[in-house]
Amino acid sequence: MLKDVLIISFISSLHLNEGRQLRFAIAIEDEVVKTTHLHRFDPPIPLEARYLQSISPALSGDDDCFIVEGGVKYGNTLMIVGTAARPQAELLPSFMYPRPIVVSANGPGVICLEIGDVKIIYDKGTLKHSNRSQANKLWEDIALAFVDKVSTPSKQVQVLAYGLYGNPEVDAELWELHKSDYINITKDYCPELLSGVVHVIVREIQRADHGGAFMLLPSPLQQDSLFRDKRLYSEIRFELSEAIHRVLALNSIYTLALQGKWIYPNGVLPTTPDDFPFWVKQIVYPQLTNSYIDLTKQCQRIANLANADGAVVLNTLFGLEAFNAKLNSRSDMTAFPVELARFLGSRGNRHNSMASAISSLSGSIGIVVSQDGNAVCFHRLFEDEIEFFELTL
């Protein structure tokens, strides 16, 4: 099935609809992975280039997708059975969200294949490969501070700062029993979540078709030499940081609860009916899903700030400190490593100034999104090496 979907999608991408390039996404379902809220067609539509050419302008490929099924009941013919919201799983751990296979057309001859956390783009003969686990490594050091903050109850009363709504105290005995499991879950998920946050911000900047940039710096307020000008907040805004902390904590609480491990005393969940898994799904899971919704909104806010010229400035805990920050750039390209200098020679001032800023500060990260949608990450290692790579989203 996948081979046929790729071929038909590629052929369809070469067509136009009244002069418009076709952009669409197709999710392939099976008996295990099912997209929620499927809006079915009656009757289904054959998966053919002429039909995709006709109906794809009706959907946003970023937000919606066609659902394709095959099998004997369709005479072994691939059929578009309906539409659904396009899976956006950047922020969700894989155990909560089985990753469907998604094929998307992003321009003439540009086809993207997403299988789980792996993404491959065929761009007119060139293959680009991305695996989220590679990008996750960027955030391993930063993640430690997040893990510590959500795993440490207050000293006066045993309350997790980002626990369940209402801030009930944890049961001291149960907390000691399950604390190591809680911390391990948080450690495993945090780099993945931070990588997902960056991906969502980049995707939202791409949607604006304007380009933009944002950076994470240690102690940004002490780095005035990096900026020609900036719009500075009078105090750090922690909305995004707080949303990340809340998702981390609620995900760990929920994951533990699914394993039958509870860190709160009796009475936090209703006891009638006496069905612990039922109440976990009725009370804890909605809090977790709401935390993801809020986190997505905070990512969108950062992307909106990036619409202004210059860069959005965050600290390494994702606290918002400034926007519209104009960065100083280098005129002497020989100061950069050869490979980076060669790359910057084909890019504009936005990339040059970001590379200049990041190369001068250890432990800093900068993301530049071009108007054409390409996203590049610059990272200054603590070993004083600067690396850069394209983010394949």
Side-chain angles (χ1 to χ4, degrees):
M1 180 188 294
L2 177 58
K3 177 181 177 181
D4 293 332
V5 172
L6 287 167
I7 292 173
I8 294 170
S9 297
F10 177 78
I11 294 172
S12 302
S13 74
L14 302 176
H15 289 68
L16 297 175
N17 179 295
E18 297 182 356
R20 294 173 293 185
Q21 296 179 358
L22 301 189
R23 297 180 182 273
F24 56 84
I26 296 172
I28 301 173
E29 295 200 335
D30 57 27
E31 293 305 316
V32 177
V33 178
K34 290 289 185 183
T35 302
T36 58
H37 306 300
L38 169 61
H39 305 285
R40 286 190 171 273
F41 294 146
D42 186 16
I45 303 169
L47 181 64
E48 299 177 10
R50 56 179 174 149
Y51 293 116
L52 285 172
Q53 180 185 21
S54 174
I55 65 176
S56 62
L59 296 184
S60 164
D62 290 329
D63 301 315
D64 305 292
C65 64
F66 297 111
I67 304 300
V68 170
E69 294 180 358
V72 177
K73 64 180 178 179
Y74 299 115
N76 293 318
T77 299
L78 293 179
M79 305 295 289
I80 304 173
V81 298
T83 65
R86 180 171 178 175
Q88 303 286 1
E90 293 97 334
L91 301 176
L92 303 181
S94 56
F95 85 90
M96 281 184 59
Y97 198 102
R99 310 298 204 233
I101 297 174
V102 177
V103 176
S104 57
N106 300 322
V110 181
I111 301 298
C112 176
L113 170 63
E114 300 173 52
I115 304 176
D117 290 336
V118 177
K119 185 174 294 187
I120 300 172
I121 296 178
Y122 178 85
D123 186 353
K124 305 178 189 68
T126 301
L127 284 177
K128 301 177 182 178
H129 171 268
S130 174
N131 188 319
R132 280 183 67 183
S133 63
Q134 297 173 342
N136 291 353
K137 294 178 181 179
L138 273 180
W139 313 107
E140 290 178 351
D141 291 333
I142 293 175
L144 295 177
F146 283 92
V147 173
D148 182 65
K149 193 168 183 180
V150 302
S151 304
T152 307
S154 58
K155 293 182 180 179
Q156 289 77 15
V157 289
Q158 290 287 291
V159 173
L160 291 173
Y162 302 95
L164 295 179
Y165 294 169
N167 293 324
E169 292 186 38
V170 298
D171 182 288
E173 185 176 340
L174 292 175
W175 173 249
E176 287 302 317
L177 182 63
H178 302 308
K179 178 179 179 180
S180 61
D181 291 331
Y182 177 99
I183 293 174
N184 287 335
I185 292 169
T186 309
K187 281 182 178 179
D188 289 343
Y189 179 41
C190 191
E192 179 183 351
L193 177 62
L194 297 180
S195 179
V197 166
V198 169
H199 279 218
V200 173
I201 295 172
V202 169
R203 189 185 71 233
E204 293 299 321
I205 294 174
Q206 290 173 328
R207 287 183 177 181
D209 293 326
H210 178 269
F214 60 101
M215 55 203 311
L216 291 95
L217 306 178
S219 306
L221 295 180
Q222 301 175 20
Q223 313 302 329
D224 279 342
S225 61
L226 300 181
F227 307 107
R228 290 184 285 110
D229 190 20
K230 60 182 179 293
R231 300 293 171 260
L232 190 67
Y233 287 103
S234 59
E235 58 184 26
I236 301 173
R237 296 182 58 176
F238 285 108
E239 293 100 323
L240 176 58
S241 180
E242 293 283 296
I244 294 171
H245 283 100
R246 185 163 297 281
V247 166
L248 276 176
L250 288 171
N251 174 72
S252 297
I253 293 168
Y254 180 68
T255 304
L256 279 178
L258 291 180
Q259 301 170 6
K261 301 172 182 177
W262 191 237
I263 60 174
Y264 292 98
N266 292 334
V268 172
L269 294 182
T271 55
T272 305
D274 186 13
D275 188 342
F276 177 72
F278 172 80
W279 289 116
V280 167
K281 292 181 180 179
Q282 289 294 312
I283 294 179
V284 182
Y285 183 72
Q287 294 187 28
L288 176 58
T289 56
N290 286 339
S291 72
Y292 281 115
I293 293 171
D294 180 55
L295 178 54
T296 301
K297 290 180 179 178
Q298 299 304 330
C299 293
Q300 291 169 341
R301 173 178 289 168
I302 299 300
N304 290 338
L305 290 172
N307 286 328
D309 290 338
V312 177
V313 182
L314 307 169
N315 61 32
T316 50
L317 281 177
F318 287 77
L320 173 61
E321 302 210 7
F323 72 102
N324 193 212
K326 307 297 177 60
L327 303 174
N328 294 315
S329 60
R330 292 181 182 174
S331 57
D332 181 12
M333 300 293 284
T334 61
F336 291 116
V338 174
E339 185 178 359
L340 177 57
R342 186 181 302 115
F343 170 79
L344 293 175
S346 63
R347 303 287 170 152
N349 183 64
R350 184 179 279 166
H351 290 79
N352 187 309
S353 57
M354 182 62 78
S356 298
I358 299 304
S359 65
S360 64
L361 185 62
S362 293
S364 58
I365 298 170
I367 313 287
V368 177
V369 183
S370 304
Q371 282 185 290
D372 61 9
N374 290 330
V376 177
C377 176
F378 299 92
H379 179 216
R380 169 81 181 273
L381 304 174
F382 285 102
E383 293 81 4
D384 292 334
E385 297 177 1
I386 182 171
E387 64 176 2
F388 69 99
F389 55 89
E390 185 171 347
L391 291 174
T392 304
L393 305 181

